[in-house]
């Protein structure tokens, strides 16, 4: 099977070569981060010769809700966005793992920062993408000196571009300290999430994840893992998580579209559990990868087949 594809994107209502999609330096969103975006994965299964996009509708539902929270004047429905995206992938002929990035952005060439009364546009581009962080060898992390922004500063349930300044600061701090990833605390000092992923801990056989009260982005992968834990009969609680629980957890893993399910080996130079990938993490991770590759019919409703 040829892996040749065309780098196409959706831009100003049309499908065009990605290299031709250009915006002005005066664009409102470029100056103020006044845009919302998504990150979606498609997994190519060579045995089935098909590409499966994971929870496409749910991602677009969150994107449209993000636009609503920000008062962006965006008219398309999640259903329309699903159709546009599948058409774009088909026309691009991708036969490998991909990452899809939709952005709703203030396209006007206007000066004052605001959300009301500004023109918006939709752009969607696609990248080839395998693993974003290592999922096999264990990640080294630190608790960030940067606090996760609170919902009354920037809506935490919206995936808004401006909010990612917070993520970028935390990620750079962690990587420059020789680590792989950062863990944010919220304004009350409770564990929130990673720079671009949600977090789960295992203590005494129970899965624990911060609730929406901890300024987290409500991850589609997080929601997936909560459902899988239920199906696997692994007890799970959403609650406030103490920083010190990170130091004594038996297992910790991150979840997110980019990171997938990746386990954490170290937090603030303390080894998590016995320093190996834990039993519950293994179970969840292996079921997750089976599902996204289209190899478990029980969960096929989560997948959109491209071909
Ligand atoms: N939190 C943040 C800050 C993120 O950027 C992401 C990635 N979108 C997540 C959590 C995980 O969300 P999802 O599982 O929907 O990709």
């Amino acid at each position: 099977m040829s892996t040749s594809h065309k780098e196409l994107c959706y831009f100003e209502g049309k499908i065009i070569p990605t290299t031709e999609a250009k915006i002005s330096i005066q664009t409102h969103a470029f100056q103020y981060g006044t845009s919302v975006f998504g990150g979606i994965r498609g997994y190519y299964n060579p045995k089935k010769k098909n590409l499966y996009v994971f929870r496409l509708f749910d991602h677009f539902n969150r994107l449209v809700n993000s636009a609503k929270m920000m008062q962006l004047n965006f008219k398309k429905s999640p259903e329309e966005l699903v159709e546009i995206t599948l058409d774009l992938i088909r026309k691009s002929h991708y036969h490998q793992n991909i990452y899809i990035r939709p952005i709703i952005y203030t396209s006007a060439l206007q000066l004052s920062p605001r959300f009301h009364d500004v023109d918006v546009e939709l752009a969607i581009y696609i990248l080839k993408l395998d693993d974003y962080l290592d999922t096999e060898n264990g990640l080294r992390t630190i608790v960030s000196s940067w606090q996760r922004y609170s919902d009354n500063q920037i809506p935490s349930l919206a995936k808004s571009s401006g909010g990612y300044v917070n993520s970028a600061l935390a990620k750079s701090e962690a990587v420059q300290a020789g680590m792989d990833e950062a863990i944010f605390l919220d304004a009350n000092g409770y564990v929130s999430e990673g720079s671009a992923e949600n977090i789960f801990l295992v203590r005494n056989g129970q899965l624990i994840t911060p609730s929406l009260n901890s300024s987290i982005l409500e991850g589609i992968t997080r929601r997936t893992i909560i459902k899988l834990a239920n199906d696997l009969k692994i007890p799970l609680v959403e609650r406030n998580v103490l920083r010190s629980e990170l130091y004594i957890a038996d297992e910790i893993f991150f979840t997110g579209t980019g990171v997938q399910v990746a386990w954490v080996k170290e937090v603030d130079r303390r080894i998590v559990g016995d320093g190996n990938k834990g039993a519950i993490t293994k179970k969840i991770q292996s079921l997750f990868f089976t599902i996204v590759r289209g190899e478990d019919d029980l969960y096929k409703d989560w997948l959109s087949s491209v071909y």
Side-chain angles (χ1 to χ4, degrees):
M1 170 68 64
S2 150
T3 56
S4 69
H5 64 273
K6 287 188 257 179
E7 302 224 328
L8 300 177
C9 69
Y10 182 90
F11 182 69
E12 297 180 344
K14 291 190 295 262
I15 292 181
I16 60 166
T18 306
T19 49
E20 289 172 21
K22 301 262 165 60
I23 58 166
S24 162
I25 57 168
Q26 290 178 285
T27 303
H28 192 271
F30 174 64
Q31 298 175 74
Y32 304 117
T34 39
S35 47
V36 296
F37 68 103
I40 307 163
R41 268 191 190 265
Y43 290 86
Y44 186 67
N45 183 323
K47 268 187 272 162
K48 301 197 177 207
K49 297 194 171 37
N50 212 337
L51 181 57
Y52 301 105
V53 186
F54 189 60
R55 302 194 74 163
L56 189 52
F57 178 86
D58 297 315
H59 278 282
F60 281 133
N61 203 35
R62 182 175 68 192
L63 183 70
V64 167
N65 280 335
S66 294
K68 182 176 181 187
M69 281 180 257
M70 296 310 193
Q71 290 191 297
L72 288 168
N73 180 23
F74 184 69
K75 297 278 191 265
K76 287 192 182 6
S77 66
E79 288 85 355
E80 287 172 273
L81 295 173
V82 166
E83 285 318 307
I84 290 172
T85 303
L86 290 175
D87 182 46
L88 176 63
I89 305 171
R90 287 183 190 123
K91 290 192 168 124
S92 313
H93 300 296
Y94 276 102
H95 290 86
Q96 56 259 108
N97 296 335
I98 56 169
Y99 185 85
I100 303 154
R101 166 55 49 86
I103 314 177
I104 300 169
Y105 63 99
T106 53
S107 54
L109 310 184
Q110 284 165 346
L111 204 55
S112 78
R114 64 175 185 271
F115 277 111
H116 72 281
D117 206 11
V118 197
D119 292 340
V120 305
E121 284 284 351
L122 163 72
I124 307 175
Y125 67 88
I126 303 175
L127 301 170
K128 289 183 281 176
L129 188 72
D130 290 315
D131 290 346
Y132 159 82
L133 282 178
D134 193 307
T135 60
E136 276 312 309
N137 295 309
L139 301 172
R140 301 180 67 212
T141 68
I142 49 168
V143 171
S144 186
S145 72
W146 299 98
Q147 188 177 93
R148 187 71 188 154
Y149 59 78
S150 298
D151 189 41
N152 60 353
Q153 295 171 320
I154 297 175
S156 51
L157 297 185
K159 197 168 161 64
S160 68
S161 302
Y164 277 77
V165 169
N166 193 211
S167 293
L169 288 166
K171 179 78 180 188
S172 288
E173 179 186 51
V175 171
Q176 287 168 352
M179 298 292 158
D180 300 305
E181 191 48 280
I183 299 172
F184 279 119
L185 304 181
D186 67 17
N188 297 311
Y190 293 115
V191 175
S192 177
E193 60 180 344
S195 74
E197 51 277 314
N198 294 116
I199 191 165
F200 287 77
L201 288 70
V202 177
R203 292 191 64 205
N204 307 316
Q206 184 185 49
L207 272 166
I208 305 164
T209 195
S211 70
L212 299 190
N213 298 341
S214 284
S215 308
I216 64 168
L217 181 73
E218 191 177 15
I220 311 289
T221 322
R222 174 182 180 275
R223 214 184 299 156
T224 302
I225 300 310
I226 291 172
K227 164 82 172 115
L228 297 186
N230 187 58
D231 293 356
L232 293 169
K233 310 227 171 338
I234 302 168
L236 181 143
V237 59
E238 294 175 56
R239 63 160 171 82
N240 291 339
V241 177
L242 297 170
R243 176 178 188 160
S244 51
E245 289 185 281
L246 295 170
Y247 300 154
I248 54 168
D250 303 316
E251 305 177 30
I252 299 178
F253 58 87
F254 286 127
T255 68
T257 299
V259 76
Q260 308 172 104
V261 177
W263 69 282
V264 173
K265 186 165 62 182
E266 195 181 305
V267 182
D268 287 344
R269 303 189 189 269
R270 288 129 173 117
I271 296 295
V272 178
D274 65 4
N276 294 304
K277 197 201 289 184
I280 291 182
T281 306
K282 272 189 199 156
K283 237 184 187 171
I284 297 261
Q285 200 187 40
S286 121
L287 180 56
F288 176 80
F289 281 117
T290 307
I291 292 169
V292 296
R293 290 178 187 133
E295 285 170 352
D296 190 331
D297 281 348
L298 260 186
Y299 299 94
K300 63 177 187 328
D301 290 353
W302 280 340
L303 306 177
S304 303
S305 297
V306 172
Y307 303 114

